[in-house]
Amino acid sequence: MIERSLFTEEHEIWRASVRRFVEAEIVPYHAKWEEEGIVPRDLWLKAGAQGLLCCTVPEEYGGLGLDYLFDVVVFEELWRVGASGPGFLIHTDLVATYILSFGTDAQKREWLPRMVKGEAIGSLGMTEPHAGSDLKAIRTQARRDGDDYVINGQKVFISNGQLCNVIVLATKTDSGAGASGVTLFLVESNRPGFTRGRNLEKLGMKAQDTSELFFEDVRIPASNMLGPAGKGFALMMTKLPQERLAQAIRSATVTETVIEWTADYTAGRKAFGQTIADFQNTQYVLADLKARATMARVFTDKCIELFLNDKLDAVDAAMAKLVTSELHCEAVDKCLQLFGGWGYMWEYPICRAYADARVVKIAGGSVEVMKTIIARDMFKGRLPARSPRG
Ligand SMILES: Cc1cc2nc3c(=O)[nH]c(=O)nc-3n(C[C@H](O)[C@H](O)[C@H](O)COP(=O)(O)OP(=O)(O)OC[C@H]3O[C@@H](n4cnc5c(N)ncnc54)[C@H](O)[C@@H]3O)c2cc1C
């Protein structure tokens, strides 16, 4: 077996402590949160108190200043038990990262200490009802008015949408300018004119709040701008490899997990006088998945290593997300099959894992967009340049 070599003893001690937290504070309650469609705010405070949120935030902004692998451990331990409800990944890996990378000192001081503690929850507002993959087509408008901007528009599918206190919002400050008209803002959820829409009903990830957000004449000071005007699209592009890497980590972890669950289950379940695991079909299905899960893990770990050295590019990240998310969906399907009818029952984790999985081929850049990125790179110099995307 190829051993993972990324993590030090310190990371493993951290893993044990995160695992204890997840087993005590999340696993026993997750089914109830799925019924409620949301996790309690209290969980965020507990997670913050244990240091599980935004591990890389430097000490001067209230964090622990740890390396990215500490965040990776938190994500892996959540996925390992199928805890798809707590939206820590969006909060830590996207919102805090955007503020850390593009924010002013004042913005960092305002938000990061509270985000580390779980007192303020972040969400990322990009997608709109008519614009998802094609982000430069967003219509939410931010119009300059004296020292302020006035925001009008609508977002959809926003993770942490019901809970969020701050939104990294993609807007258009120049509606005629395409990608170069996109500007990011930090918008507080207590601004007049901001309202949350429905907590959307989803196929899976039922404990995670995913919402519409509405902005009607929401007035914010110009100092809430995140990064320069008109540079929002370019800034978002710089963060896409990290977002896709996080998705690959999710898929690699869930794939390994469901294979283990299925090996355990089939070794105990009997049919025709033998265990399900005795059937050659079961062994072949699981062996095939295991071999590919191992390759997915090795490639994903390599991408983590590249990321730690500031060398992960968009194409490698796209390849990681493409292959791991497709394998993830295939694995939950094939593993559920080996559970028979029990696999179709919500009380079985494989059933939830199946429902949770489908989104990985859509969100954070669909598999088609990943293929487009890879193909564009392959055909660079071979075919005439087309309009840029993703
Ligand atoms: C559970 C969930 C959580 C989410 N969380 C967030 C969030 O927190 N913040 C946020 O901003 N967004 C979020 N999203 C939105 C997500 O990022 C979008 O759904 C995704 O980018 C796809 O956009 P779309 O849904 O508009 O699909 P569309 O862009 O309409 O795409 C529809 C289909 O067309 C395909 N397609 C599009 N362009 C191309 C192309 N160039 N070539 C080939 N095929 C193409 C797509 O791959 C897809 O199969 C979330 C979505 C879900 C489901």
Side-chain angles (χ1 to χ4, degrees):
M1 280 299 293
I2 299 176
E3 293 283 331
R4 299 185 75 187
S5 55
L6 280 173
F7 300 99
T8 62
E9 200 186 332
E10 240 188 321
H11 296 120
E12 293 309 337
I13 293 167
W14 173 238
R15 187 183 293 282
S17 133
V18 174
R19 191 168 289 189
R20 278 195 299 277
F21 179 88
V22 170
E23 296 288 349
E25 301 292 346
I26 296 180
V27 172
Y29 311 106
H30 204 267
K32 180 168 163 273
W33 299 338
E34 283 169 355
E35 283 165 22
E36 293 166 355
I38 196 161
V39 306
R41 219 163 241 287
D42 197 39
L43 173 72
W44 286 82
L45 296 172
K46 287 181 185 166
Q50 290 289 313
L52 266 65
L53 304 174
C54 316
C55 298
T56 63
V57 166
E59 287 178 22
E60 60 177 316
Y61 300 120
L64 294 169
L66 300 167
D67 66 50
Y68 177 64
L69 291 171
F70 285 84
D71 282 336
V72 171
V73 166
V74 175
F75 306 149
E76 288 184 355
E77 289 305 308
L78 289 170
W79 294 125
R80 196 186 61 80
V81 296
S84 58
F88 297 169
L89 196 151
I90 304 278
H91 175 86
T92 293
D93 204 46
L94 296 171
V95 182
T97 298
Y98 269 67
I99 296 174
L100 252 183
S101 302
F102 311 134
T104 60
D105 191 53
Q107 288 169 338
K108 291 177 193 173
R109 287 190 192 289
E110 181 176 2
W111 289 109
L112 294 175
R114 287 196 281 151
M115 288 180 69
V116 167
K117 288 189 187 141
E119 292 168 2
I121 298 172
S123 69
L124 188 68
M126 295 185 179
T127 306
E128 299 186 0
H130 59 275
S133 306
D134 186 9
L135 268 181
K136 65 183 181 314
I138 58 167
R139 291 184 198 151
T140 294
Q141 204 193 31
R143 180 178 48 83
R144 182 94 201 202
D145 185 28
D147 289 339
D148 297 336
Y149 278 86
V150 178
I151 300 178
N152 280 285
Q154 176 180 351
K155 297 288 170 180
V156 75
F157 306 150
I158 305 306
S159 307
N160 296 341
Q162 295 292 310
L163 286 169
C164 64
N165 305 93
V166 61
I167 305 139
V168 169
L169 189 73
T171 69
K172 277 280 177 76
T173 41
D174 181 350
S175 49
S180 56
V182 176
T183 302
L184 301 178
F185 287 93
L186 289 171
V187 181
E188 303 88 340
S189 63
N190 57 3
R191 293 266 169 200
F194 169 75
T195 49
R196 304 173 204 269
R198 290 178 299 141
N199 190 4
L200 299 166
E201 277 186 49
K202 304 186 293 296
L203 170 67
M205 300 184 68
K206 289 183 182 292
Q208 187 163 126
D209 52 311
T210 309
S211 309
E212 301 168 299
L213 303 178
F214 299 99
F215 303 83
E216 198 180 338
D217 290 330
V218 176
R219 184 171 285 274
I220 53 168
S223 57
N224 276 28
M225 189 182 287
L226 188 63
K231 294 286 180 215
F233 193 80
L235 296 181
M236 289 191 285
M237 292 302 114
T238 67
K239 290 297 168 201
L240 289 178
Q242 180 174 354
E243 182 178 356
R244 285 158 189 171
L245 174 60
Q247 297 293 336
I249 293 167
R250 168 185 180 174
S251 288
T253 306
V254 176
T255 302
E256 286 172 354
T257 302
V258 298
I259 293 169
E260 287 301 307
W261 289 345
T262 312
D264 286 343
Y265 178 81
T266 55
R269 172 90 178 167
K270 291 220 166 108
F272 301 98
Q274 56 183 356
T275 71
I276 302 289
D278 283 315
F279 295 122
Q280 193 179 52
N281 174 65
T282 305
Q283 295 183 8
Y284 278 11
V285 167
L286 291 178
D288 174 56
L289 287 174
K290 172 89 180 173
R292 288 188 287 142
T294 304
M295 309 229 172
R297 175 60 85 190
V298 172
F299 188 83
T300 304
D301 278 358
K302 179 69 189 174
C303 288
I304 296 175
E305 190 189 312
L306 288 171
F307 177 75
L308 290 169
N309 293 311
D310 248 345
K311 287 187 178 150
L312 180 66
D313 68 27
V315 177
D316 287 339
M319 289 198 271
K321 182 173 191 276
L322 170 65
V323 172
T324 58
S325 57
E326 290 197 325
L327 178 62
H328 178 170
C329 289
E330 184 184 337
V332 291
D333 184 38
K334 288 186 167 164
C335 288
L336 186 151
Q337 183 71 17
L338 293 172
F339 275 75
W342 296 108
Y344 198 68
M345 298 298 127
W346 195 252
E347 68 202 78
Y348 272 68
I350 188 66
C351 179
R352 294 172 149 98
Y354 179 87
D356 287 350
R358 191 60 184 83
V359 74
V360 302
K361 293 205 281 188
I362 301 168
S366 67
V367 288
E368 291 79 14
V369 170
M370 297 306 103
K371 288 176 190 169
T372 306
I373 292 168
I374 298 161
R376 191 171 59 209
D377 185 64
M378 288 171 67
F379 288 103
K380 198 164 51 187
R382 291 187 167 114
L383 288 175
R386 296 252 168 82
S387 64
R389 191 187 294 113

